[in-house]
Amino acid sequence: MQISKPIIYGTIATWLGRKSDEKKTHSWICYVRGAQNEDLSYFIEKVIFVLHSSFENTNRVVSQHPFVIAETGWGQFDIIIKIYLKGDYDQPLIAVHPLKLYQNQTQSIPLTKKPVVSEQYDEIVFINPKPELLEILNSKPNQENNQVEEEIQVDQKEPDFEQMTPAQILKYNQSNFTVFDINESKATIEKAIQIVSQDILADYKKKNHQLDTEIQELQIEYENLQNKLSQAQQ
């Protein structure tokens, strides 16, 4: 028996404006959520978000829904996400997700406070789960109440994301966000790696050719010395 549970994990970052502190240019959240924003705590025990060493308390533990943390900062880095499952699972599932503050890689100062979303879809696959875990997995997840989302959309045509709670940001209509295309970024990175690899290979071939030439010259010099030695012995 195999059961799959879809999850989405990622970040949403908002620029705090030109007057913001140079060390706190953005507010951001990191989260693990259901595909429909449903409560995943019926099979997830807790989530630990491991932040960059420059933050205080680098291991942020969230033991209840929503599995989300909020922070402010100025730099992009990889966040380690450890997902602990309910049942007989000692080791967590581990994902690494890049925090994205800017719409593109070359942008250093945003032109808008429109939040930037970077998230990934994944599935947790349970193979032949034990009866007690199977019962948990087959239970119906709690659905989020849409009242908060409706209030935000009606009362705030241009919402102040800085004043929203992490849960409200997660529920807000993401069509209002700037979505960071991680697949496009991956393709760009792969292309860059290919170009760099070609450069490295060309440099290696050049150096290898130089070494071959030096070895040949040393071989010739060695043979000449051998001939001179033979002649001297005669």
Side-chain angles (χ1 to χ4, degrees):
M1 178 182 292
Q2 180 173 302
I3 297 179
S4 297
K5 292 295 181 180
I7 64 169
I8 293 175
Y9 54 88
T11 59
I12 302 176
T14 305
W15 182 46
L16 298 178
R18 297 180 183 275
K19 296 182 179 180
S20 61
D21 187 293
E22 62 179 5
K23 296 296 184 181
K24 296 181 178 181
T25 60
H26 290 75
S27 64
W28 53 265
I29 65 171
C30 184
Y31 53 87
V32 176
R33 66 178 180 86
Q36 303 299 323
N37 274 335
E38 67 272 23
D39 184 349
L40 299 181
S41 60
Y42 71 103
F43 73 90
I44 292 181
E45 184 74 33
K46 63 181 177 181
V47 177
I48 298 179
F49 301 89
V50 183
L51 307 185
H52 189 270
S53 59
S54 60
F55 286 86
E56 294 183 4
N57 181 22
T58 56
N59 292 276
R60 307 292 176 86
V61 182
V62 182
S63 301
Q64 60 185 10
H65 174 80
F67 298 105
V68 57
I69 61 168
E71 259 297 349
T72 57
W74 61 271
Q76 302 181 128
F77 60 93
D78 289 338
I79 300 174
I80 300 174
I81 303 172
K82 298 180 180 180
I83 302 173
Y84 290 80
L85 305 174
K86 291 185 176 179
D88 190 18
Y89 290 93
D90 295 329
Q91 298 299 320
L93 301 176
I94 298 178
V96 179
H97 189 81
L99 168 63
K100 295 297 177 183
L101 303 182
Y102 305 101
Q103 183 176 356
N104 55 61
Q105 301 294 338
T106 60
Q107 187 175 0
S108 59
I109 299 179
L111 301 177
T112 174
K113 288 189 177 182
K114 192 175 184 180
V116 174
V117 180
S118 170
E119 61 180 23
Q120 292 176 258
Y121 173 91
D122 206 341
E123 292 185 357
I124 299 176
V125 180
F126 299 85
I127 300 176
N128 297 324
K130 294 181 179 181
E132 57 271 21
L133 178 59
L134 180 61
E135 183 178 356
I136 291 174
L137 295 174
N138 286 331
S139 61
K140 187 177 180 181
N142 296 324
Q143 295 293 330
E144 280 277 88
N145 190 326
N146 291 325
Q147 182 178 359
V148 175
E149 182 178 359
E150 291 172 358
E151 288 177 354
I152 293 174
Q153 292 178 345
V154 173
D155 297 338
Q156 294 181 259
K157 294 182 180 179
E158 296 182 359
D160 184 354
F161 294 102
E162 296 176 38
Q163 301 302 319
M164 285 187 186
T165 66
Q168 288 175 328
I169 293 176
L170 277 178
K171 289 180 64 62
Y172 190 74
N173 184 359
Q174 293 196 12
S175 63
N176 290 277
F177 297 166
T178 299
V179 178
F180 178 84
D181 190 340
I182 196 164
N183 292 323
E184 181 180 343
S185 175
K186 180 180 178 182
T188 303
I189 293 173
E190 288 177 346
K191 184 177 180 180
I193 291 174
Q194 184 179 7
I195 293 173
V196 171
S197 299
Q198 290 174 349
D199 291 342
I200 292 174
L201 180 60
D203 185 58
Y204 171 79
K205 288 182 177 179
K206 181 179 178 181
K207 290 181 178 179
N208 193 46
H209 177 71
Q210 291 174 345
L211 287 173
D212 287 341
T213 302
E214 291 176 3
I215 291 172
Q216 289 176 2
E217 291 174 350
L218 288 172
Q219 183 67 30
I220 293 172
E221 186 177 351
Y222 173 76
E223 292 175 355
N224 290 335
L225 289 173
Q226 285 287 87
N227 291 334
K228 290 180 180 180
L229 180 63
S230 297
Q231 292 174 0
Q233 289 176 346
Q234 293 176 357

